[in-house]
Amino acid sequence: MATYDLLIKNGTIVTDQKTMQGDIAIKDGKIMEVSTNINADATQEIDAEGLHIFPGLIDSHVHFNEPGRAEWEGLETGSKSLAAGGATTFFDMPLNSTPPVVDKENLLKKKACADEKSVVNPRFWGGLVPENIDKLKELHDNGVIGFKAFMSPSGIDDFHHADDETLFKGMKEIASLESLLAVHAESTVICEQLAAEKQRNGQTTARDFVESRPIISEIEAVKRVISYAEATGCKLHIVHASSRKVVEVIEEAKKRGVDVTVETCPHYLSLTVKDLEEQGGLAKCMPPLRDEDEVDELWNAVKNGEINVIGSDHSPAPASMKTITDNFFEGWGGISGAQSTLNILLTEGYFKRNVPLETIVKLTATNPAEIFNLTTKGKLAAGFDADITLVNLNEDFVLNKEDLMYRHQHSPYVGRTYKGKVKKTIVGGNVVFDNGEIIENK
Ligand code: ZN
């Protein structure tokens, strides 16, 4: 019998600390050895000459909608698109499935569905809504990665946003469970007033929509929820910060000793209001896209180590819900992008702005594993799970609609040229994506 199940030879291994030539040996789904030259026999060997080897991405922010709303996206199509983009683990948000994940019963339904359909490792967020504070413990006991609350309406009728009382009480409970709360931080008061005023005046362009959800609305909500975190001791994670001005508020809190982390998303790092104007619904999200100078500043925050995590916030919907004719207040807010995260970070970050590969590994694998206690993931090292992505950094490609593995083949990134192509994705030692094709291992 061979010593190892799989041997990856002659690749350029990228960790959060360094980049080096080497081999990786795998057995029973685990990395057994990482070194410059492994001389051992293996059942399967991959020649990674000319390829970079990354830890598989951990996408801590996706909306796969299943069960119950699978016509928007599904666990099979969503997970396949992640594999095609080099991700090996996802955390699914609690709101878009029906029923939403607000108690144990609904969590177990989603888990069963994911176990059957996902080609990568699934993990789940539990919801914090005004109705379920007494259910947080059962969700925690059944393995949610943390809790998610909205400070403004979520867009889903049966997933209510957390008012201040819910947030405060919920955070006390979550702190006692030693779990974490992720929040969508926009001020309801500011956004609703501005939106109503704009629409009353017939102002419904892309720019009007963006102005109705200003950066100050994020800042206000972030400051408020940070003050609750300080009072309750609840570990806090701010998702999808759209501007460095928001990140600065979080940075100040970190310096005061508040246990808070921040995520941004590939769309805030590569798209602007101009894209929203040109592409309509495909580029609509909340918080909205900002202007070019904000994109540059956000990259500076990435370079400066002020961002902890990059998650896709893949939030797809059927084309009919993404069509905007003239009123940008209509149509679903959410971007289809899970397949493109690594492509965007390599093209816009590594190649265009000299962001080190090690930083990209930190933001997409090592940091999320640490923040969310995935103790066997996020690193290419002996003893860790064999979740691995092989990338050809020298290969350019234009993203075509047909390349997308989403249920609905649309994305604001279609037609763009990317440098750095995912060649293989390995989950638990099994190749699940190989040269454009999903490999079924079940
Ligand atoms: Zn989201």
Side-chain angles (χ1 to χ4, degrees):
M1 223 174 87
T3 314
Y4 295 123
D5 297 333
L6 176 63
L7 193 54
I8 307 173
K9 292 286 288 178
N10 305 316
T12 305
I13 299 168
V14 191
T15 74
D16 62 324
Q17 302 295 331
K18 60 180 178 184
T19 298
M20 57 171 198
Q21 281 301 117
D23 302 346
I24 297 180
I26 293 159
K27 192 175 173 61
D28 298 330
K30 295 274 182 195
I31 296 173
M32 306 304 285
E33 209 184 324
V34 180
S35 79
T36 42
N37 189 17
I38 300 173
N39 279 311
D41 55 337
T43 312
Q44 192 192 350
E45 200 170 302
I46 293 172
D47 179 11
E49 176 91 58
L51 300 180
H52 280 68
I53 308 175
F54 291 82
L57 275 70
I58 297 171
D59 193 338
S60 52
H61 192 160
V62 300
H63 301 263
F64 283 163
N65 298 283
E66 194 172 2
R69 206 175 268 115
E71 68 278 14
W72 290 28
E73 181 62 283
L75 285 156
E76 186 185 334
T77 46
S79 67
K80 284 181 175 175
S81 70
L82 283 174
T88 51
T89 299
F90 66 83
F91 305 170
D92 193 32
M93 284 295 174
L95 63 152
N96 311 72
S97 45
T98 302
V101 181
V102 291
D103 59 27
K104 175 186 167 183
E105 195 188 337
N106 298 355
L107 171 66
L108 296 183
K109 275 184 194 154
K110 189 186 274 192
K111 258 189 179 171
C113 192
D115 286 343
E116 189 196 328
K117 296 183 177 180
S118 178
V119 302
V120 302
N121 306 298
R123 292 286 194 282
F124 309 96
W125 289 97
L128 165 64
V129 292
E131 300 84 2
N132 83 332
I133 291 178
D134 61 336
K135 306 285 186 194
L136 301 181
K137 186 170 187 318
E138 65 178 47
L139 284 164
H140 177 71
D141 291 345
N142 283 277
V144 293
I145 206 84
F147 295 91
K148 166 75 180 289
F150 277 74
M151 294 176 75
S152 54
S154 72
I156 299 288
D157 290 341
D158 53 2
F159 193 93
H160 297 138
H161 76 271
D163 52 71
D164 290 349
E165 185 188 356
T166 302
L167 268 183
F168 194 60
K169 280 188 184 161
M171 287 171 83
K172 273 191 200 160
E173 174 72 4
I174 293 166
S176 78
L177 298 169
E178 293 182 13
S179 186
L180 163 156
L181 180 68
V183 290
H184 175 125
E186 284 184 291
S187 156
T188 314
V189 174
I190 295 175
C191 293
E192 285 189 348
Q193 280 183 6
L194 290 175
E197 194 181 312
K198 288 273 186 193
Q199 291 180 90
R200 234 182 0 254
N201 297 333
Q203 297 172 296
T204 58
T205 64
R207 178 64 67 182
D208 290 319
F209 169 72
V210 171
E211 285 174 0
S212 78
R213 305 186 87 95
I215 294 167
I216 183 62
S217 147
E218 284 181 72
I219 290 176
E220 189 280 323
V222 166
K223 283 187 172 171
R224 184 158 28 108
V225 74
I226 282 176
S227 71
Y228 297 170
E230 286 187 275
T232 59
C234 181
K235 193 173 164 185
L236 181 64
H237 182 63
I238 307 291
V239 295
H240 52 50
S242 75
S243 159
R244 195 183 189 181
K245 297 180 181 93
V246 179
V247 176
E248 277 165 1
V249 175
I250 298 160
E251 195 64 13
E252 280 166 24
K254 284 176 181 170
K255 285 182 183 144
R256 287 202 303 277
V258 184
D259 196 349
V260 55
T261 47
V262 59
E263 171 203 76
T264 193
C265 312
H267 39 275
Y268 301 117
L269 292 165
S270 65
L271 301 174
T272 66
V273 182
K274 207 161 158 270
D275 294 289
L276 179 62
E277 284 165 345
E278 286 167 4
Q279 300 217 43
L282 289 182
K284 180 177 172 179
C285 56
M286 289 173 295
L289 297 173
R290 307 296 182 192
D291 287 315
E292 191 72 46
D293 54 338
E294 292 289 346
V295 173
D296 291 336
E297 274 303 310
L298 210 46
W299 274 113
N300 288 336
V302 166
K303 284 184 173 177
N304 215 23
E306 295 164 17
I307 305 284
N308 300 96
V309 171
I310 293 180
S312 69
D313 194 8
H314 176 69
S315 181
S320 59
M321 296 183 64
K322 298 297 286 171
T323 313
I324 292 175
T325 41
D326 53 3
N327 185 346
F328 275 77
F329 288 88
E330 289 170 0
W332 178 253
I335 284 179
S336 285
Q339 197 171 321
S340 299
T341 299
L342 187 56
N343 298 140
I344 293 167
L345 297 181
L346 290 172
T347 306
E348 297 288 325
Y350 175 67
F351 286 110
K352 203 165 148 187
R353 294 176 174 89
N354 294 315
V355 174
L357 294 178
E358 294 84 356
T359 301
I360 293 175
V361 165
K362 245 181 232 160
L363 293 166
T364 57
T366 320
N367 285 357
E370 275 177 20
I371 293 166
F372 301 102
N373 284 320
L374 304 185
T375 51
T376 60
K377 296 198 182 294
K379 279 193 177 148
L380 297 177
F384 280 74
D385 294 346
D387 295 342
I388 298 168
T389 298
L390 274 60
V391 181
N392 184 352
L393 285 188
N394 293 314
E395 193 172 334
D396 291 358
F397 69 101
V398 176
L399 182 69
N400 290 312
K401 205 159 90 78
E402 295 72 29
D403 301 331
L404 298 174
M405 298 205 180
Y406 312 137
R407 171 133 311 159
H408 302 284
Q409 290 178 303
H410 57 225
S411 169
Y413 307 124
V414 167
R416 291 190 169 218
T417 302
Y418 291 105
K419 190 167 166 65
K421 191 161 193 187
V422 175
K423 304 305 284 182
K424 283 185 206 294
T425 304
I426 297 165
V427 178
N430 295 313
V431 176
V432 298
F433 175 79
D434 192 4
N435 254 317
E437 303 288 333
I438 293 290
I439 311 294
E440 301 284 352
N441 287 296
K442 285 178 183 173

